Amino acid sequence: MEPSSLSLATLFLLAAVSLFSPSDSATCTSQTFTNNKLYAFCNDLPFLNSYLHWSYDSAQSTLSIAFIAPPARPDGWVSWAINPTSTGMVGSQALIAFRDAKGGMTVKTYNVSVYGPLTESKVWYEVKESTAEFSGGLIRLFATLVLPEKGKTTVNHVWQVGPSVTGGVPDKHEFQPANLNSKGNLDLLRGQSGGASGGDSRTQKRNIHGILNVVSWGIMFPTGIIIARYLRTFPSADPAWFYLHISCQVSAYAIGVAGWATGLKLGSESKGVTYYNHRNIGIALFALATVQIFALLLRPNKDHKYRFYWNIYHHGVGYAILTLGIINVFKGLNILQPEQKWRDAYIIVIAVLGGIAALLEAITWTIALRRKRKTKNDKSTKA
């Protein structure tokens, strides 16, 4: 690979490692409530800009909570739930707060037994009281629960926010990383709330998947195409351009396959969550790139009668990979939703590569026209 392109890819890879560095936020300890109620513990939850306050009476098995979060949209909803059987959404016993038809706030209970439309129902615990309020862009959900299992001091909890309510029924939430990872375990007596063991692992795999694919399909493949298209114009670069091109594309393919495999693993671990367009383009990229790699074994000599057709096939597949790769990188960024500066950084990288390609295109056309003119003059002189 050309040294300059290797440096560019390496710098982008190192920068991308910090894509998901957490940002500073307000803490729950500074929050107060209009009812002046006090709680024994409070935690800043790691996702969805949310907070949980609670007190637990082990003798009565009574849990009082205040859950605070901004809804996905002003007319949306927020939810806090306990899952007595698992760590995810399915099986959770949820409290959901939203604005009712009269404009006031209501809290309803839902046994989330399946993915799909929610139906109000009784839940695993008894709800002694529940209220909600909306102010300052935040919904505050208050409830007092009686847990059926006395002596159980650690529970799996799930929290969520949604964009809207239709006909008194909360609509589905988004399936972004923050939504999918909003779960953990809650120690009622020690005041500790930890992320679910699988959440951090999945987030790390998503980050690795994104970084690998940005570097391979999004940077190295375009760089390899630029090398092949423009350096071959200069006789002094032959055959160095060919080996640079092959090295770049084979390396990009290896990294891309690793990213593709990580994506398949993520898909198998995310039942009910599928990004169809992103997945299908990824499969197409893998198939086309594999065919392109096999082109090395089928490459005929320059004077072979089939070389013309091989060039059409090789160039066509290459430009298809270039186009689909960049499209899928942006689809992946839409899914991962990193900070805007990282999206801007990738746009700058692509713009720089595009500018280099445009400049080299002009140079190669100038050289080609001069050579054509010189050849024509030589023929005229001989004639």
Side-chain angles (χ1 to χ4, degrees):
M1 185 175 179
E2 192 177 20
S4 60
S5 60
L6 177 60
S7 299
L8 183 62
T10 302
L11 287 173
F12 193 87
L13 177 61
L14 292 173
V17 170
S18 59
L19 266 174
F20 301 93
S21 298
S23 56
D24 294 334
S25 60
T27 62
C28 65
T29 54
S30 61
Q31 296 172 346
T32 58
F33 306 111
T34 55
N35 58 11
N36 295 320
K37 189 167 185 178
L38 300 176
Y39 296 88
F41 306 106
C42 75
N43 271 182
D44 304 331
L45 299 178
F47 300 101
L48 302 177
N49 298 317
S50 50
Y51 310 91
L52 180 67
H53 301 248
W54 77 93
S55 296
Y56 180 60
D57 184 342
S58 57
Q60 302 297 323
S61 193
T62 302
L63 176 64
S64 297
I65 64 106
F67 174 69
I68 302 102
R73 295 177 186 170
D75 292 329
W77 52 267
V78 305
S79 172
W80 183 83
I82 293 176
N83 192 327
T85 60
S86 185
T87 59
M89 182 182 76
V90 174
S92 63
Q93 311 295 295
L95 295 162
I96 303 184
F98 54 89
R99 196 182 302 277
D100 60 24
K102 297 180 180 179
M105 296 298 296
T106 185
V107 178
K108 295 185 178 182
T109 57
Y110 298 86
N111 177 3
V112 186
S113 57
V114 295
Y115 288 102
L118 295 175
T119 301
E120 185 179 4
S121 60
K122 291 185 178 180
V123 289
W124 172 71
Y125 45 78
E126 177 190 349
V127 182
K128 293 185 67 175
E129 60 179 352
S130 61
T131 59
E133 60 184 40
F134 181 73
S135 64
L138 299 172
I139 292 180
R140 296 169 177 84
L141 189 165
F142 304 96
T144 301
L145 321 174
V146 179
L147 304 183
E149 296 182 5
K150 287 191 175 183
K152 185 177 178 66
T153 61
T154 301
V155 296
N156 298 318
H157 70 137
V158 185
W159 62 97
Q160 195 57 255
V161 300
S164 58
V165 177
T166 302
V169 178
D171 295 322
K172 67 178 181 180
H173 59 78
E174 294 183 353
F175 290 89
Q176 303 299 335
N179 300 91
L180 299 177
N181 289 325
S182 57
K183 54 188 176 182
N185 53 75
L186 184 67
D187 192 317
L188 302 177
L189 293 180
R190 294 183 180 180
Q192 297 174 347
S193 174
S197 59
D200 292 341
S201 175
R202 279 190 293 272
T203 299
Q204 185 179 36
K205 288 177 183 177
R206 283 171 173 267
N207 295 350
I208 292 172
H209 171 71
I211 292 169
L212 291 175
N213 286 299
V214 166
V215 172
S216 59
W217 310 111
I219 297 178
M220 293 181 69
F221 263 108
T223 300
I225 290 175
I226 290 173
I227 291 172
R229 178 168 176 81
Y230 301 113
L231 292 188
R232 65 191 303 171
T233 304
F234 305 96
S236 59
D238 193 16
W241 73 264
F242 175 75
Y243 294 111
L244 286 171
H245 171 66
I246 294 300
S247 299
C248 185
Q249 302 305 70
V250 170
S251 299
Y253 177 74
I255 296 172
V257 169
W260 179 74
T262 306
L264 291 180
K265 180 65 174 176
L266 283 169
S268 68
E269 294 177 351
S270 304
K271 302 297 183 183
V273 181
T274 304
Y275 302 100
Y276 291 100
N277 291 336
H278 184 65
R279 181 197 65 180
N280 292 339
I281 293 175
I283 292 172
L285 277 170
F286 171 74
L288 289 171
T290 301
V291 170
Q292 192 76 314
I293 291 298
F294 277 111
L296 291 173
L297 305 176
L298 303 174
R299 182 172 177 262
N301 294 327
K302 292 182 179 180
D303 56 353
H304 195 281
K305 62 180 180 178
Y306 291 127
R307 180 58 180 258
F308 172 76
Y309 302 104
W310 182 89
N311 283 337
I312 294 176
Y313 139 75
H314 184 62
H315 295 164
V317 173
Y319 287 121
I321 293 172
L322 171 68
T323 303
L324 291 176
I326 293 174
I327 290 173
N328 220 29
V329 165
F330 281 107
K331 286 188 175 295
L333 289 172
N334 289 337
I335 294 169
L336 290 176
Q337 291 189 331
E339 293 181 31
Q340 183 62 37
K341 63 182 179 181
W342 298 112
R343 184 189 297 270
D344 293 341
Y346 180 66
I347 291 173
I348 291 172
V349 170
I350 290 299
V352 169
L353 290 176
I356 292 172
L359 178 62
L360 291 176
E361 186 76 20
I363 293 173
T364 53
W365 271 104
T366 301
I367 293 173
L369 291 173
R370 285 178 179 176
R371 287 175 181 171
K372 186 175 180 180
R373 191 179 302 115
K374 182 179 179 182
T375 301
K376 186 177 179 180
N377 290 338
D378 291 344
K379 288 182 179 180
S380 299
T381 301
K382 291 180 181 180

